[in-house]
Amino acid sequence: MYFIGFDLGSSSVKAALIDSSTGKTIGVTNYPETEMSILAKQTGWAEQDPGIWWQNCCKVTQRLLRQTGVSSNEIKGVGIAYQMHGMVIIDKDQKVLRPSIIWCDSRAVEIGNQAFQAVGADLCVSNLLNSPGNFTLSKLKWVKENEPEVFNQVHKLLLPGDFIAMRLTGEVTTTISGLSEGIMWDFKENEPASWLFDHMGISKELIPDVVPTFSEQGTVTKQAAEEIGLPQGIPVLYRAGDQPNNALSLNAFEPGEIAASGGTSGVVYAVTDSIQTKEYLRINNFAHVNYTKENPRIGKLLNINGAGIQYSWMKQNLAHASASYEDMNNLAATVSIGSEGLRILPFGNGAERMLNNQNKGARISNLNFNLHKRGHMFRAALESIAFSFVYGIDILKNDGVDLSVIRAGNDNLFRSDIFSTTIASLVGANIQIIDTTGAVGAARAAGVSFGAFKSLNEAFSDIEHVMTYQPQSNKNNYSEFYELWKQDLEEQYHQ
């Protein structure tokens, strides 16, 4: 039997099928091939039509079934991963009232900041583990203040994954993990943060029924089955935001395990059992997929904007036209550790939260026209991004993370021996590379919830393990250049 997983991003919807009898991935695809449009009526705004998400879920399902040749009748359950923090509001007839205000929209920043000051840092940090920030509840407060005619029709507040589950099942539900990502969950009281809703002037009645992350969350309706091509009556079994789900996909469930990704931006997501934080201004804390009050599992999320985008910029502007990332990595490998003094700060992609929201751009230091060539630039780029990851992991360690292992996807950065070995050597932990996706993870999670796998560990074993990078014995060499890099960082960002 098969399980299907969806990963709703802001660019496309991915879908995957896994065969529970073998544990293998049968197929992965996405739709559309060109990025979904984002509507920006004003600078800093970002909206999408949830109806387009649903249409693309239907189209990607049909594409996946055609590509794999699997009969839809063999699919026994659905898992959903989705872009975090988005706001979808519906009326009593489950009609969407306005476009979704998605994760990268910044219009509610000041609302969150004002709430943080008004209710107090101590309460927010001890109970929310975060500032209300520019998250889902703050976005709804913006609607209340600016679109009262819309707000007065709101029956329920949904996250993007809640909306897809509703379209599949007709049931309006959410999860603890989802409420925590919207900064609506009180970890100390283990219930929605009623005091924050009261401060915002928003009724708690807008919260949907809360269901466990791993559970039967409704079954596919006749109408949904006709539209999407899945069997009527199969259950939705799992739902989580993209970063917790990415950690799940990488088999990161227990304290000390870190899930990392190195795309345009970099993400370090560390699992801990502590419901305390002191680095709340530089990281976020969310209920992980296996969170319970009795055994809390918190995902500490650190984002690095200036990561893969720097290496991509170098590929476009400095590499030969026909060069691949592998070619760049090979050229970088001809240069010794430290890039013969050439150092780069990669932070040229907007304000960096881990650097206290400063945005001073990237920086190249010590460039010598008589010495340095392309290989030096490429190695310095890889080292600088690796150093920024290590700097972020140090922040997480300062917030109580006891690192045991890092697991990462098989993306361009982590395929680089220089990049991964630098991180492994400096933090003193193995980096395991796993070839998986969020959609595959959601499909496996659905299988766990169904009972097709005995445990999370069985479902997320090393079937898709690619390789492991280990710390090198010459750590002092890496440490010397990391310390010099940090000195550059201090000069640039702490003047």
Side-chain angles (χ1 to χ4, degrees), residues 35-312:
E35 291 188 1
M36 289 189 287
S37 61
I38 296 177
L39 180 64
K41 294 181 179 179
Q42 295 187 31
T43 301
W45 289 22
E47 300 180 350
Q48 286 184 321
D49 177 5
I52 299 298
W53 299 342
W54 172 246
Q55 291 175 22
N56 289 337
C57 282
C58 295
K59 291 175 180 177
V60 77
T61 300
Q62 292 153 19
R63 171 181 283 185
L64 182 62
L65 292 175
R66 285 196 305 270
Q67 289 180 356
T68 60
V70 171
S71 169
S72 64
N73 292 328
E74 297 179 83
I75 299 174
K76 301 303 179 184
V78 180
I80 301 170
Y82 59 90
Q83 51 172 295
M84 296 171 71
H85 317 309
M87 183 208 73
V88 181
I89 45 179
I90 60 169
D91 65 14
K92 291 182 179 180
D93 298 319
Q94 299 186 1
K95 177 184 176 183
V96 175
L97 292 169
R98 69 174 322 284
S100 172
I101 302 176
I102 65 172
W103 63 276
C104 52
D105 186 293
S106 60
R107 75 185 72 183
V109 169
E110 191 55 36
I111 290 173
N113 291 342
Q114 289 175 356
F116 185 68
Q117 296 297 325
V119 300
D122 290 345
L123 181 58
C124 288
V125 174
S126 65
N127 291 49
L128 300 174
L129 307 183
N130 298 281
S131 162
N134 183 44
F135 294 103
T136 313
L137 190 60
S138 297
K139 291 170 180 173
L140 182 58
K141 172 69 169 175
W142 183 92
V143 174
K144 183 177 187 291
E145 292 181 349
N146 294 275
E147 300 174 350
E149 72 287 352
V150 173
F151 182 81
N152 291 336
Q153 300 177 65
V154 177
H155 176 60
K156 294 295 179 184
L157 167 64
L158 307 178
L159 296 155
D162 302 337
F163 170 77
I164 297 301
M166 181 192 76
R167 289 302 303 260
L168 283 166
T169 68
E171 303 288 337
V172 183
T173 58
T174 192
T175 63
I176 289 176
S177 181
L179 290 174
S180 79
E181 79 181 57
I183 318 302
M184 296 180 276
W185 187 255
D186 187 319
F187 286 94
K188 188 167 286 187
E189 300 299 326
N190 203 49
E191 63 182 23
S194 56
W195 49 272
L196 186 57
F197 277 80
D198 291 343
H199 172 78
M200 297 281 197
I202 296 172
S203 171
K204 263 200 330 178
E205 296 301 314
L206 301 189
I207 300 173
D209 292 338
V210 180
V211 296
T213 296
F214 295 88
S215 66
E216 185 171 314
Q217 303 169 4
T219 57
V220 175
T221 65
K222 180 180 179 182
Q223 179 179 343
E226 291 173 350
E227 294 179 19
I228 200 169
L230 294 175
Q232 179 182 350
I234 66 169
V236 172
L237 295 164
Y238 165 84
R239 189 186 328 170
D242 50 14
Q243 294 304 331
N245 180 75
N246 182 60
L248 166 137
S249 304
L250 294 169
N251 196 23
F253 300 107
E254 299 304 325
E257 297 176 339
I258 284 181
S261 62
T264 299
S265 59
V267 172
V268 184
Y269 182 99
V271 181
T272 177
D273 57 4
S274 172
I275 53 171
Q276 296 180 354
T277 183
K278 57 184 177 181
E279 291 283 7
Y280 59 91
L281 294 178
R282 298 201 283 178
I283 64 175
N284 292 119
N285 296 269
F286 305 120
H288 194 31
V289 295
N290 56 341
Y291 170 88
T292 64
K293 181 181 180 181
E294 297 74 23
N295 292 293
R297 294 293 182 266
I298 303 298
K300 293 183 177 291
L301 176 65
L302 180 138
N303 188 74
I304 307 165
N305 285 333
I309 190 171
Q310 179 204 204
Y311 210 41
S312 173

Side-chain angles (χ1 to χ4, degrees), residues 351-495:
E352 291 286 355
R353 188 175 182 197
M354 76 172 185
L355 301 176
N356 299 307
N357 289 316
Q358 295 184 78
N359 181 12
K360 295 188 178 180
R363 171 176 161 182
I364 300 175
S365 301
N366 308 324
L367 177 61
N368 185 326
F369 298 127
N370 298 308
L371 174 64
H372 296 130
K373 299 180 174 62
R374 281 193 180 92
H376 294 87
M377 291 291 286
F378 298 155
R379 176 150 200 142
L382 290 169
E383 289 179 336
S384 73
I385 305 168
F387 290 158
S388 69
F389 270 72
V390 174
Y391 189 84
I393 290 170
D394 286 343
I395 293 172
L396 292 168
K397 288 180 177 179
N398 188 53
D399 208 45
V401 171
D402 185 14
L403 172 62
S404 61
V405 66
I406 299 172
R407 298 192 179 100
N410 192 23
D411 54 34
N412 285 328
L413 282 177
F414 280 97
R415 279 201 297 266
S416 163
D417 180 80
I418 291 171
F419 176 78
S420 294
T421 299
T422 299
I423 295 175
S425 299
L426 285 169
V427 303
N430 288 346
I431 298 179
Q432 298 172 355
I433 306 301
I434 312 296
D435 188 13
T436 188
T437 69
V440 170
R444 290 192 185 284
V448 172
S449 187
F450 187 87
F453 300 103
K454 295 178 182 178
S455 65
L456 288 168
N457 285 334
E458 179 183 296
F460 295 92
S461 63
D462 63 353
I463 292 173
E464 291 154 333
H465 177 262
V466 176
M467 64 178 301
T468 297
Y469 292 96
Q470 297 177 332
Q472 299 299 295
S473 58
N474 56 341
K475 177 184 176 180
N476 289 342
N477 291 344
Y478 292 96
S479 298
E480 174 188 351
F481 295 110
Y482 177 52
E483 292 302 320
L484 290 170
W485 180 88
K486 283 202 296 183
Q487 289 178 21
D488 291 347
L489 185 68
E490 292 292 322
E491 293 176 6
Q492 178 85 343
Y493 278 86
H494 302 285
Q495 293 174 350

